[in-house]
Amino acid sequence: MNFLPFTRPAIDEDTIADVANVLRSGWLTSGPKVQAFEAALSDYCGGRPVRVFNSGTATLEVALRLAKVGAGDTVITTPLTWVATANVILEVGATPLLVDIDPVTRNIDLEQIEAAISPSTKAVIPIDLAGLPVDRDRLYAIADKHRLRVIEDAAQAFGASWQGRRIGSSFGNNKDFVSFSFHANKNLTTSEGGALVLPADIDTGLCERLRLQGVRRFANGGMDVDVLGGKFNMTDIAATIGLGQMKHIDAFTARRRELARRYFERIDQTLGLELPLADFSNSNWHMFQVLLPAGTDRGSFIAAMKDRGIGIGVHYPALHLFSLYRALGFKAGDFPHAERVGAATVTLPLFPAMQDSDIDRVCAALAESLLEIA
Ligand SMILES: *Cc1c(COP(=O)(O)O)cnc(C)c1O
């Protein structure tokens, strides 16, 4: 029996041939493929400028720097995200201000944001967990009222939309940033990589300098460094993979939605699993996450599924319970919804190349595994 991982990238043969051509070309680092990929992403996301990076994490960090967030500032986000979202806040010297999730969407609870805002609050980083977009209308109403910069951590939401418009479009006043990750597990991959959709009026040159050592080059061959930049540029190899993926992204999303629908039809309701919000218009179904019934040992469940040839992921334990964040003063009990979801969540296999029969196989294994470990 084949092992079914929880996710697997789909790279077509044309893309593999294109990558081989880049390898033969003699130009491996940032070059024409990066520029072509940025143009394709900008078209896809509604026309604002886009710059690509070597990770989604770097992308978020540069967005914070462009928004002039630093020491003395606080930034609101949620504890139920990949830890990168909060790490970048620390990286720029600011303080993460965590707000619990809404247990229905598992995204940041927008109702609780206003109460958390203080005079030092500069920005909010909402994340679209599993590709289900945060309510953009309410988000930007709050952000405008309190003059907060918004950096959308849309790492998981490439190809998703909000009310018929793609994530990456501006849902605010064009001052917002949108960050995507192209890590191998994301819906569109470049192996590792990320992209930043920029406010329409931004200094794109500054964004490029923050991406590469702060270097500014002059036509006469001279150079200057006027800002501290990182080493965050994308290679032409990675950009070529991304260009190949762009051809399929809408088909990927459509297939993910079909597979997610089949989970809703086939998961045995008597097992007591808590299913995700059934959204088939906005979400790109980056992940299909269920909560195990209270009292289920997650480690035993994962082992029982593995025995049946099925890979299970965990995305994510609530980050405020990690040692680094406990040392900042966070503790168990601070964010009860995120803690409950983080402790009970499991990610079932979902990727575009899956067959309908794979879903049925996972559903059968779910029932057997829960019975076996009960
Ligand atoms: C993947 C991810 C990131 C980081 O992206 P990398 O490309 O791995 O650096 C940030 N935030 C969220 C929510 C993610 O899922």
Side-chain angles (χ1 to χ4, degrees), residues 55-57 60 81-82 84-85 127 153 155-156 181 183 186 193 316:
S55 76
T57 307
L60 286 170
T81 178
W82 176 228
T85 316
I127 94 126
D153 182 353
Q156 303 183 4
S181 165
H183 173 268
K186 301 290 159 60
Y316 305 92

Side-chain angles (χ1 to χ4, degrees), residues 5-301:
F6 76 82
T7 190
R8 184 194 288 147
I11 310 291
D12 65 25
E13 289 303 319
D14 286 349
T15 304
I16 293 170
D18 291 344
V19 168
N21 285 333
V22 170
L23 293 174
R24 288 186 195 103
S25 76
W27 192 280
L28 303 187
T29 186
S30 310
K33 298 294 183 183
V34 161
Q35 286 192 2
F37 187 34
E38 288 176 340
L41 289 166
S42 175
D43 275 355
Y44 190 81
C45 294
R48 289 191 291 167
V50 174
R51 292 295 178 272
V52 294
F53 293 77
N54 58 6
S55 76
T57 307
T59 305
L60 286 170
E61 184 182 324
V62 167
L64 284 167
R65 293 195 190 284
L66 287 168
K68 300 193 168 53
V69 174
D73 298 328
T74 57
V75 179
I76 294 175
T77 192
T78 146
L80 196 72
T81 178
W82 176 228
V83 69
T85 316
N87 281 353
V88 291
I89 299 171
L90 297 175
E91 193 65 49
V92 300
T95 303
L97 191 59
L98 301 180
V99 169
D100 206 354
I101 56 160
D102 168 349
V104 175
T105 61
R106 303 173 188 165
N107 283 328
I108 193 164
D109 183 351
L110 294 168
E111 301 298 331
Q112 288 190 47
I113 287 186
E114 292 200 89
I117 294 168
S118 78
S120 65
T121 309
K122 263 278 193 59
V124 54
I125 311 183
I127 94 126
D128 305 312
L129 188 70
L132 177 71
V134 167
D135 180 331
R136 295 296 195 269
D137 302 326
R138 282 162 69 204
L139 169 70
Y140 282 100
I142 295 166
D144 281 352
K145 183 169 156 200
H146 297 277
R147 297 174 171 278
L148 299 181
R149 292 303 291 265
V150 177
I151 297 162
E152 297 180 15
D153 182 353
Q156 303 183 4
F158 196 79
S161 48
W162 175 250
Q163 315 261 332
R165 286 173 62 219
R166 285 204 181 111
I167 297 304
S169 318
S170 180
F171 294 93
N173 54 8
N174 271 314
K175 295 254 176 251
D176 54 302
F177 296 86
V178 185
S179 166
F180 294 111
S181 165
F182 304 137
H183 173 268
N185 285 354
K186 301 290 159 60
N187 287 26
L188 182 144
T189 188
T190 59
S191 73
E192 297 280 4
L196 185 61
V197 184
L198 294 159
D201 63 352
I202 200 97
D203 176 354
T204 51
L206 177 58
C207 178
E208 288 162 9
R209 295 202 293 289
L210 290 171
R211 178 171 67 178
L212 192 61
Q213 313 290 8
V215 170
R216 187 200 289 267
R217 290 180 187 279
F218 302 112
N220 67 4
M223 66 169 84
D224 186 29
V225 175
D226 60 357
V227 63
L228 181 60
K231 168 61 186 177
F232 297 145
N233 57 304
M234 179 180 276
T235 67
D236 262 22
I237 301 168
T240 300
I241 302 173
L243 283 165
Q245 294 266 289
M246 289 293 285
K247 296 180 186 141
H248 303 287
I249 185 63
D250 290 337
F252 287 168
T253 304
R255 180 60 183 151
R256 285 173 175 276
R257 285 180 180 153
E258 280 175 13
L259 292 163
R261 265 187 204 282
R262 195 169 178 92
Y263 269 131
F264 280 98
E265 289 162 14
R266 298 299 164 110
I267 288 177
D268 179 350
Q269 288 297 307
T270 66
L271 296 175
L273 295 165
E274 203 172 308
L275 301 185
L277 189 72
D279 172 311
F280 298 104
S281 52
N282 297 312
S283 178
N284 66 1
W285 289 97
H286 170 58
M287 297 189 280
F288 194 94
Q289 301 181 295
V290 300
L291 308 189
L292 296 172
T296 309
D297 182 73
R298 183 162 59 189
S300 306
F301 170 78

Side-chain angles (χ1 to χ4, degrees), residues 313-324:
V314 172
H315 308 91
Y316 305 92
L319 70 86
H320 66 288
L321 301 178
F322 294 145
S323 308
L324 177 72

